[in-house]
């Protein structure tokens, strides 16, 4: 009934030198390519207590001028043992000719965020990225989030992400800090 489909001829790559050549517009963010893993701490005034988590982030590309982004986290106890799944998000980071960023992230909790931002610095030493929401869309049952800001700092093989959030009647303020290392 159906003819066999071929294997995807345009796979994503998260390793430079494997897969398609990256689009030239990706040059400012190429140091992010890869898989990252680390630990973080979170807090927010509406939560009963602060929390600890681990997170994996993957940045990949298929040769076009955007990165595919996927992140998943899970809560851990004080000893570092897994407790339960936590945040998850996926999206796209588009780089414009002036090194601006346009980012779209979707969460399974019914939140879609569009961000704008900039890349500064060069290479793995000193790369900084600041993005802030332009728009937030919510499904009817999603938690109220009115804005977020993220700051990514890459220093060698260490990536730090600081995430501020305005939600459930609270103003924009610190929510998460994660320190990740590139996986081999």
């Amino acid at each position: 009934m159906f003819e066999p489909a071929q294997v995807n001829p345009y796979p994503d790559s998260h390793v430079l030198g494997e897969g398609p050549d990256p689009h030239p517009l990706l040059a400012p963010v190429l140091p992010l390519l890869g898989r990252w893993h680390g630990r973080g701490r979170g807090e927010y005034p509406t939560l009963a207590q602060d929390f600890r988590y681990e997170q994996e982030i993957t940045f990949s590309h298929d040769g076009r001028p955007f990165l595919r982004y996927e992140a998943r986290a899970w809560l851990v106890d004080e000893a570092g043992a897994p407790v339960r799944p936590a945040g998850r998000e996926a999206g796209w980071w588009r780089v414009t000719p002036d090194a601006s960023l346009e980012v779209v992230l979707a969460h399974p909790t019914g939140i879609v965020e569009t961000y704008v931002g900039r890349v500064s610095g060069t290479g793995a030493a000193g790369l900084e990225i600041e993005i802030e929401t332009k728009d937030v869309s919510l499904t009817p049952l999603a938690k109220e989030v009115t804005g977020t800001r993220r700051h990514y700092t890459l220093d060698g093989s260490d990536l730090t992400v600081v995430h501020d959030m305005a939600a459930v009647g609270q103003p924009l303020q610190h929510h998460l800090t994660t320190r990740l290392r590139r996986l081999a």
Side-chain angles (χ1 to χ4, degrees), residues 41-123:
R41 287 182 122 6
E43 62 187 354
Y44 209 67
T46 59
L47 299 175
Q49 61 186 22
D50 296 354
F51 58 94
R52 295 168 41 121
Y53 61 95
E54 291 192 15
Q55 186 173 38
E56 292 177 343
I57 296 176
T58 302
F59 288 97
S60 60
H61 75 95
D62 67 0
R64 292 181 285 173
F66 52 81
L67 294 179
R68 182 178 66 89
Y69 166 90
E70 184 174 4
R72 45 190 321 177
W74 53 97
L75 297 178
V76 296
D77 64 19
E78 288 300 318
V83 174
R84 67 174 173 81
R88 192 163 188 180
E89 57 193 19
W92 308 99
W93 289 41
R94 186 165 60 170
V95 184
T96 66
D98 69 352
S100 298
L101 287 175
E102 297 178 345
V103 177
V104 177
L105 296 182
H107 306 258
T109 55
I111 301 167
V112 176
E113 301 161 311
T114 59
Y115 291 84
V116 292
R118 295 212 46 86
V119 179
S120 60
T122 57

Side-chain angles (χ1 to χ4, degrees), residues 14-31:
H14 63 271
V15 178
L16 280 177
E18 292 181 10
D21 290 334
H23 192 282
L25 286 176
L26 292 180
V29 295
L30 280 180

